[in-house]
Amino acid sequence: MARAGIGLIWIYQHSLSLILGRACRYQPSCSHYTVEAMSRFGFWRGGWIGLSRIVRCNPYGASGYDPVPLTLPKNSKWFLPWRYGNWSGKHIDPKTRFDLKD
């Protein structure tokens, strides 16, 4: 399943992403982040981690360097998938944020 998800992301990166533009609020970009999350944690867990990143990628969200976590949160369970992701930008180091620069 992870390979199928990564394949769909690859198609997006080489088609729709080229039309929409490549301006991203985060490093790495949301699609690269999701691919890495799926590669590391599988389709289900990585997909939820990627979804949380995509949801917070909006004009009112945070920005900056936001790597995929090395481990899953301790309170995460497969039947509570929303616990896999960081749904706000509070975990991002303020020194790496793009929106807080002078």
Side-chain angles (χ1 to χ4, degrees):
M1 285 298 292
R3 285 186 182 190
I6 291 169
L8 290 173
I9 293 169
W10 184 89
I11 291 169
Y12 162 78
Q13 289 174 332
H14 291 87
S15 61
L16 190 58
S17 176
L18 298 173
I19 296 168
L20 295 175
R22 295 185 179 246
C24 191
R25 300 179 58 81
Y26 292 99
Q27 284 298 322
S29 68
C30 294
S31 57
H32 286 96
Y33 182 92
T34 305
V35 166
E36 186 177 343
M38 283 185 181
S39 298
R40 187 175 295 168
F41 300 116
F43 179 78
W44 181 252
R45 293 177 183 102
W48 278 94
I49 292 169
L51 179 64
S52 71
R53 172 59 144 0
I54 292 166
V55 166
R56 66 176 188 250
C57 188
N58 63 70
Y60 303 106
S63 65
Y65 179 66
D66 180 27
V68 175
L70 297 175
T71 60
L72 294 172
K74 298 211 184 287
N75 67 344
S76 61
K77 306 274 189 245
W78 71 268
F79 53 88
L80 301 172
W82 53 88
R83 292 186 178 175
Y84 291 125
N86 292 314
W87 296 90
S88 71
K90 295 176 184 171
H91 67 285
I92 298 174
D93 184 0
K95 291 181 238 168
T96 67
R97 298 226 1 210
F98 302 140
D99 58 345
L100 298 179
K101 303 281 183 190
D102 294 331

